[in-house]
């Protein structure tokens, strides 16, 4: 009896020790670890495009990545960073919740001497990027997406005189805007219509509603409300800062049995099939796959003490933004099939 008890004890001890080892053991000795987040897992583009590629590509590069959900709360992200720092990750890859809160996060990384790659939401505070030599940004040139969307809407508007329902030579539009203060949302909202004005075509905004979560629900609710409002019949164009919101607006249009030209940004798979079906007029590829790869490439280089873009195809802007900017591409009924093959 005594003997079997001590055998049992020994077995238990081994079990306890191996469990303890597994706890920290997920990190093989010398393996590079990336502490990452997504500002909100509910976001179609971030969760559907960027997150899977961050995971796939990090593993291809032999790095271990942990991606947490900040649930749209900057305070939550601040805590998550503290946890990553305590865990001694090799490098941080961070999707800001509030683009005006970058300095707090950069300060934390600097104090812990951990390199930091910000991605998707560019810091808006002046001097933030200059405050630490080991911080970089991976994203896009925000204005480019608005300009491309505007150019494609302008070309279609010119080719379809019947879109000017009231024949006043002016574009009566509604705008589904993303997060206020987000550089992508601000630039898309501005430049998409600026293109018309620059071409000498007047525009009239009938309504604009912003959503910090860029959500389909928001697109659906706002579009449904607008359609039944006093100006509902006058809407000639629906401009969406992203496809996620466009999907909602398309549902509302279908439910009301009306067809109004509508455009998005991102080129999500669903958007490509919507273009094929003719329910979406165009979108702009936001190349999340390459943004994810650049994020991992920079993170791995920084963590191993190399220069950020060493041995990669990415180049850093020399304007003080310390940014890699992945180009946007127009996606129309003429070329959408090329993107389905990707
Ligand atoms: C994307 C949006 C997304 C946002 C999140 C933008 O670049 O186009 O779909 O919601 O990033 O920050
Ligand atoms: Ca008009």
């Amino acid at each position: 009896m005594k003997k079997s008890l001590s055998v049992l004890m020994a077995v238990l001890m081994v079990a306890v020790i191996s469990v303890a080892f597994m706890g920290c053991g997920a990190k093989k000795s010398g393996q590079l670890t990336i502490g990452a987040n997504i500002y909100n897992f509910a976001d179609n583009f971030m969760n559907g495009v960027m997150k899977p590629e961050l995971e796939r590509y990090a593993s291809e590069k032999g790095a271990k990545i942990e991606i947490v959900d900040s649930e749209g709360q900057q305070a939550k992200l601040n805590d998550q960073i503290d946890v990553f720092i305590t865990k001694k990750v090799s490098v941080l890859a961070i999707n800001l919740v509030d683009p005006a809160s970058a300095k707090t996060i950069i300060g934390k990384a600097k104090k812990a001497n951990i390199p930091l790659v910000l991605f998707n939401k560019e810091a808006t505070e002046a001097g933030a990027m200059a405050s630490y030599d080991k911080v970089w940004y991976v994203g896009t040139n925000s204005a480019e997406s608005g300009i491309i969307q505007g150019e494609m809407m302008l070309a279609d508007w010119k080719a379809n005189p019947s879109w000017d329902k009231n024949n006043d030579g002016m574009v009566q539009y509604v705008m589904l805007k993303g997060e206020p203060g987000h550089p992508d949302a601000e630039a898309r909202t501005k430049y998409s219509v600026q293109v018309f004005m620059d071409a000498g075509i007047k525009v009239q905004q009938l309504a604009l509603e912003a959503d910090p979560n860029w959500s389909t629900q928001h697109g659906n609710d706002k579009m449904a409300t607008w359609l039944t409002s006093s100006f509902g019949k006058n809407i000639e164009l629906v401009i969406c800062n992203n496809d996620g919101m466009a999907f909602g607006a398309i549902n509302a249009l279908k439910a009301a049995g009306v067809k109004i030209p509508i455009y998005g940004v991102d080129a999500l798979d669903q958007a490509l099939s919507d273009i094929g079906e003719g329910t979406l007029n165009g979108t702009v590829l936001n190349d999340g796959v390459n943004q994810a790869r650049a994020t991992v490439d920079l993170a791995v280089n920084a963590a191993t003490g190399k220069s950020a873009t060493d041995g990669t195809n990415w180049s850093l802007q020399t304007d003080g933004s310390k940014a890699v900017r992945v180009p946007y591409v127009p996606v129309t009924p003429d070329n959408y099939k090329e993107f389905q093959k990707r």
Side-chain angles (χ1 to χ4, degrees):
M1 182 65 196
K2 234 186 182 171
K3 196 176 166 200
S4 56
L5 231 168
S6 56
V7 167
L8 184 69
M9 286 285 285
V11 168
L12 265 173
M13 291 263 293
V14 170
V16 166
I17 289 169
S18 42
V19 165
F21 258 101
M22 275 161 65
C24 47
K27 178 181 172 182
K28 283 186 237 144
S29 65
Q31 187 178 29
L32 197 151
T33 52
I34 306 174
N37 80 309
I38 295 289
Y39 89 95
N40 194 340
F41 279 6
D43 184 296
N44 302 39
F45 172 74
M46 297 309 295
N47 196 52
V49 184
M50 291 219 61
K51 186 165 166 280
E53 185 63 12
L54 283 167
E55 285 164 344
R56 193 203 64 78
Y57 192 65
S59 107
E60 183 181 314
K61 298 282 277 184
K64 181 177 179 282
I65 191 164
E66 183 187 348
I67 308 182
V68 295
D69 182 3
S70 302
E71 294 172 25
Q73 301 161 39
Q74 182 62 38
K76 179 156 197 134
L77 173 57
N78 292 345
D79 292 344
Q80 290 167 331
I81 305 248
D82 291 340
V83 173
F84 281 140
I85 290 174
T86 312
K87 284 188 182 171
K88 296 197 165 53
V89 294
S90 327
V91 56
L92 291 160
I94 297 302
N95 178 207
L96 296 171
V97 176
D98 175 7
S101 290
K103 272 189 175 166
T104 312
I105 284 168
I106 296 172
K108 284 176 189 284
K110 185 177 181 181
K111 194 163 162 240
N113 192 30
I114 296 178
L116 167 64
V117 181
L118 299 172
F119 65 96
N120 168 260
K121 253 189 228 187
E122 189 160 14
T124 53
E125 294 158 297
M129 297 304 284
S131 66
Y132 184 29
D133 60 341
K134 287 185 226 165
V135 61
W136 296 270
Y137 175 67
V138 174
T140 60
N141 173 348
S142 301
E144 195 179 84
S145 50
I147 293 169
I148 292 176
Q149 193 190 41
E151 284 169 347
M152 114 176 118
M153 295 189 298
L154 174 65
D156 291 349
W157 176 265
K158 284 184 172 165
N160 294 281
S162 67
W163 285 10
D164 185 7
K165 289 194 224 170
N166 63 351
N167 255 308
D168 66 351
M170 222 193 276
V171 189
Q172 275 77 25
Y173 72 92
V174 290
M175 176 81 69
L176 284 166
K177 182 178 176 178
E179 180 193 351
H182 187 313
D184 289 352
E186 296 301 336
R188 290 173 192 170
T189 299
K190 176 172 175 210
Y191 290 103
S192 54
V193 292
Q194 184 71 45
V195 170
F196 281 97
M197 299 191 278
D198 290 350
I201 296 178
K202 289 204 177 88
V203 294
Q204 186 188 357
Q205 181 183 287
L206 299 178
L208 174 150
E209 290 281 353
D211 176 17
N213 294 315
W214 308 66
S215 72
T216 298
Q217 188 64 52
H218 171 85
N220 185 84
D221 295 351
K222 296 306 155 199
M223 193 70 228
T225 308
W226 291 338
L227 285 171
T228 54
S229 73
S230 56
F231 58 78
K233 297 228 159 17
N234 308 338
I235 305 171
E236 296 174 338
L237 178 66
V238 184
I239 309 176
C240 310
N241 279 181
N242 78 342
D243 290 343
M245 293 186 292
F247 298 155
I250 290 170
N251 284 340
L253 288 167
K254 280 184 187 159
V258 280
K259 237 187 136 338
I260 304 174
I262 173 167
Y263 295 81
V265 174
D266 281 342
L268 300 182
D269 291 344
Q270 177 64 45
L272 301 176
S273 28
D274 287 348
I275 292 179
E277 282 170 20
T279 48
L280 182 70
N281 295 73
T283 186
V284 183
L285 172 71
N286 185 5
D287 191 346
V289 167
N290 276 311
Q291 289 168 58
R293 290 180 192 167
T295 301
V296 170
D297 280 336
L298 264 63
V300 168
N301 273 341
T304 48
K306 294 186 188 148
S307 90
T309 54
D310 193 61
T312 71
N313 295 326
W314 317 116
S315 53
L316 282 175
Q317 296 225 273
T318 50
D319 57 4
S321 63
K322 295 155 85 180
V324 167
R325 299 191 192 277
V326 177
Y328 285 104
V329 187
V331 183
T332 66
D334 294 332
N335 71 350
Y336 75 96
K337 285 195 177 129
E338 290 166 32
F339 299 89
Q340 287 181 315
K341 283 184 228 123
R342 277 164 64 100

